[in-house]
Amino acid sequence: AAAAQLAERNLLAKIDVAATAVTSAKVLGTSRDLLTQADLIVARYRDYHRIPDSTAMTAVFPRWARSMFRVDIARELAHDAAGYDPRAVTDAQVEAWFSTRGITPIWMLDDATAQFAAQTAAAIVVWPSTIVWRVFVEGTWQHLDGGVLDLGVIRDSTLDATNDYETFVEIFETVANRGVETLKVTSTVESDGSSAGTVTPVATHG
């Protein structure tokens, strides 16, 4: 697990070096903010680079972002949910909201840095106040796999005495940038269920 996490973070760090870092402030709840930000980012991206609407985009999110969507929808003001239960939003529904925008979401197990704090004997750890995600044209990043050196389990008399073991794993991989632009988005979010009908929205146009 430690080797896999290190490898994932190494690849994300390489992508981030080539990405343009942008930010977005909180306007409404998490679900509405991220979806409308995705609309704006993709519209600008396609227009600026003259990319057809049929060209698929990829958005890379931490996997727990789906849970923040669910929390946000569950906290909405009661209303007609048009046939779905707002207390039981599925992963497929979250992905469908992105697919209607021409975006294929990827839910990463790891991020460049841990965004959740460690749990201590106190109040439950709260949701992160930001979500860091990446957006690019599908196929922009190609994984280059040079193989794995895995020596397996290593034991000696000292480790045996404490019923421990070591592993040695080295992964030879990197990524190749084959696209025109990658955005690294840091979105300030809060899953409070707020919508345009419950708060005064902030203008997001010039």
Side-chain angles (χ1 to χ4, degrees), residues 93-185:
Q93 285 174 297
V94 175
E95 294 191 5
W97 292 334
F98 284 102
S99 66
T100 59
R101 293 163 167 81
I103 300 172
T104 301
I106 295 175
W107 309 100
M108 291 286 293
L109 179 61
D110 297 299
D111 204 345
T113 57
Q115 290 190 267
F116 269 110
Q119 181 66 64
T120 61
I124 297 173
V125 169
V126 298
W127 292 102
S129 59
T130 60
I131 294 179
V132 180
W133 50 295
R134 290 90 179 164
V135 186
F136 44 83
V137 168
E138 189 172 291
T140 291
W141 292 96
Q142 181 175 357
H143 180 229
L144 304 180
D145 187 355
V148 178
L149 174 62
D150 188 348
L151 301 184
V153 175
I154 302 171
R155 291 183 181 272
D156 58 27
S157 58
T158 302
L159 292 171
D160 286 343
T162 56
N163 196 28
D164 291 325
Y165 66 90
E166 295 177 346
T167 63
F168 183 96
V169 179
E170 190 167 1
I171 302 172
F172 302 92
E173 62 180 354
T174 188
V175 289
N177 188 350
R178 304 174 61 202
V180 293
E181 183 180 35
T182 297
L183 296 179
K184 177 185 177 182
V185 188

Side-chain angles (χ1 to χ4, degrees), residues 40-63:
L40 173 59
I41 288 170
V42 170
R44 197 283 313 178
Y45 197 115
R46 287 186 173 135
D47 183 75
Y48 185 81
H49 295 293
R50 299 180 64 81
I51 295 173
D53 290 343
S54 58
T55 300
M57 303 286 292
T58 298
V60 182
F61 290 95
R63 66 173 181 173

